[in-house]
Amino acid sequence: AIALNLGVTAIALKEGEYKMPSAIANKIVTISGTKEVVVNVNTGAIDSQNTSGATITFEGVTIQGATSNYRGFPHTKAVNFKKCTIKNLLFLYSTTTFENCIFESTAEHCVWTYGAGDVTFTSCDFTYSDRCINVYSENNNPYDNVTFTKCKFITNNTNSKGAVEINSKLYTTGVTVNLNECIAPTYGDLVYISEWDDTHGEKTTVNKDG
């Protein structure tokens, strides 16, 4: 927080656990470190407002998600993750990119796209216990455009219905999911329409190579 208040925009963290300070609001910031640097998003309602208006890039760190819903980086302009390890569940609230990231979740999903709009996953590996990505919003967002390129999906759950779950019923425009050169899971489909989508994918478009 002190560095941010002094105008520093590139912060290298030492090993330890951190939460996002209020000083990050409305700034463009890069936060870097090793896997032993843990940024915990499993914090309370007050802490969750601290990223308002910010554009944040995380490089090399561990993002400790939650096992409950709605934890992430709300009210951000954009968030980028590069070579990060993301554990448990992360909700997205703005344009988001993931590059060369590892996802490890024992929660129901790894990610809800939720309030993102545009999301890209490039060269990411997902290990999950039930389903992987939930392309869904409760807030009547206009659209979600989600692209996976050279991603790998891994689960040992023989009852998993699939990796990318889509429920587009509450989007005003719809959902587009693009899958390029991805490795499908052993169990379940690569992408499927959620059983909770009572429109049966009416506003969903899936583009899959091969």
Side-chain angles (χ1 to χ4, degrees), residues 44-64:
I46 295 175
D47 292 330
S48 73
Q49 307 306 309
N50 288 344
T51 55
S52 182
T55 297
I56 310 168
T57 298
F58 294 99
E59 294 186 0
V61 303
T62 294
I63 305 296
Q64 179 60 60

Side-chain angles (χ1 to χ4, degrees), residues 87-108:
K87 296 187 175 183
N88 282 332
L89 176 59
L90 183 66
F91 268 60
L92 309 184
Y93 289 93
S94 60
T95 297
T96 308
T97 65
F98 298 90
E99 298 177 30
N100 299 106
C101 291
I102 295 172
F103 293 78
E104 302 170 347
S105 181
T106 57
E108 192 174 58

Side-chain angles (χ1 to χ4, degrees), residues 102-172:
I102 295 172
F103 293 78
E104 302 170 347
S105 181
T106 57
E108 192 174 58
H109 296 91
C110 296
V111 172
W112 283 38
T113 59
Y114 201 59
D118 291 297
V119 188
T120 60
F121 299 90
T122 303
S123 299
C124 295
D125 288 354
F126 301 88
T127 300
Y128 57 99
S129 59
D130 190 352
R131 291 153 286 166
C132 187
I133 309 296
N134 191 17
V135 181
Y136 172 67
S137 179
E138 299 164 340
N139 299 319
N140 294 308
N141 285 357
Y143 69 93
D144 253 349
N145 186 38
V146 186
T147 299
F148 300 87
T149 301
K150 296 183 178 178
C151 292
K152 184 177 182 179
F153 300 90
I154 304 165
T155 183
N156 293 321
N157 183 0
T158 57
N159 295 316
S160 176
K161 293 183 178 179
V164 182
E165 178 181 13
I166 305 173
N167 183 346
S168 62
K169 68 178 181 180
L170 295 181
Y171 291 90
T172 55

Side-chain angles (χ1 to χ4, degrees), residues 17 27 44 61 64 86 105 123 144 154 163 173 179 188 190 193:
E17 185 167 323
K27 292 183 172 65
V61 303
Q64 179 60 60
I86 295 120
S105 181
S123 299
D144 253 349
I154 304 165
T173 301
L179 296 125
L190 179 57
I193 303 301

